[in-house]
Structure formats: structure tokens, C-alpha cells
Amino acid sequence: MQLEAQDYAAILDVLESVAGSHDTRDYAARVSAGLYRLFPCQGASCTEIDVAGRRVVSEPAPPFPSGWIA
């Protein structure tokens, strides 16, 4: 498989977006959204452990419908 110029541009756009994240939740959301844009899939998610904040965050892309998890 050979990547085209637009593929590299899309990858760079995702990396730029992820680099601009301001906290763990934002990072996870940007990674999920980026993976969802780059790969043919029904959904993507990123789960991160915030050791300093003592929490785990998980962000799906696209977001789950309202009330779905409940």
C-alpha cells in the first residue's frame, strides 16, 4: 500500500490536532476523532490513564447517542 500526498496531509492534520490538546480528556477525544477520520471504521475510541489526576478517561468517536451507556 502506497500513501498519497493527501494521506500524509490527513495524518499531519490529526497529529497537529492531538498536539493541541490541553488535558487528558481532550487528548483522548482528539485521538479518537483522528483515528475515526483516518481509518474506515464504525467507531474508534481512546482510553487514557491520568495518573496525576487519579482517573481514567475514555472518549469514543463518534460520540455515543445520548443515554446509550445508561
Side-chain angles (χ1 to χ4, degrees):
M1 178 168 122
Q2 187 171 354
L3 296 177
E4 303 290 330
Q6 67 269 18
D7 299 324
Y8 289 110
I11 292 167
L12 288 174
D13 285 345
V14 169
L15 291 174
E16 189 174 83
S17 171
V18 170
S21 59
H22 52 80
D23 62 19
T24 307
R25 183 167 303 282
D26 186 42
Y27 174 83
R30 289 176 188 229
V31 169
S32 295
L35 291 172
Y36 185 67
R37 285 196 327 257
L38 290 176
F39 298 102
C41 59
Q42 292 184 355
S45 68
C46 178
T47 302
E48 290 294 318
I49 299 172
D50 180 355
V51 176
R54 303 185 130 215
R55 65 186 181 137
V56 175
V57 295
S58 183
E59 291 292 328
F64 292 132
S66 178
W68 184 83
I69 293 176

